[in-house]
Amino acid sequence: MARLASDAGVLVDKRATRVFFGGAAATVDALAFAKQALISRDLAAVCVLGVDSLSTQPRLGKLLREKPSQADRFVPGEAAAALLLTRHLGSDSLAILAGIGASSSDTDEKPSNPAKNSISAIEKAMS
């Protein structure tokens, strides 16, 4: 992260830098941390970066073993997204984050219901 910020000419407050692990729950924790950093420090903005693997190691190994010599084979890799948060809204603001929500799958329901979980997350975000 330090190299990326340096290459972009961006100053990074190392006290406001954290790494969160754990999937969707980590996203909610990261957004809460970013909000607190904006409130408690004199920062112009906070960037939340998310990176996730698109393939598990066993699946990647299997793909490579099945087609070891094909140069044009598809091998899934990593995906990333970045969200820039500021306290100052302006006419050039692309979006306003009004709320966040996450759902956990019901333990009584097997398998979990993705539609029901999505509705639960949306309701929490809208509240």
Side-chain angles (χ1 to χ4, degrees), residues 34-87:
K35 178 181 175 183
Q36 186 58 37
L38 278 173
I39 293 170
S40 64
R41 290 182 164 69
D42 188 24
L43 301 175
V46 174
C47 186
V48 178
L49 300 170
V51 179
D52 197 5
S53 179
L54 298 178
S55 179
T56 62
Q57 281 290 45
R59 182 168 183 262
L60 181 58
K62 181 181 175 192
L63 287 169
L64 293 173
R65 283 190 304 277
E66 288 175 352
K67 301 176 186 181
S69 63
Q70 292 181 359
D72 63 343
R73 70 183 181 271
F74 172 75
V75 178
E78 302 291 319
L83 179 64
L84 183 65
L85 305 171
T86 69
R87 286 181 287 188

Side-chain angles (χ1 to χ4, degrees), residues 102-106 109 112-122:
S103 71
S104 57
S105 59
D106 299 332
E109 190 176 346
S112 72
N113 183 332
K116 184 177 176 183
N117 292 340
S118 296
I119 291 169
S120 173
I122 292 168

Side-chain angles (χ1 to χ4, degrees), residues 93-108:
S93 294
L94 298 176
I96 298 171
L97 181 64
I100 57 174
S103 71
S104 57
S105 59
D106 299 332
T107 56
D108 298 338

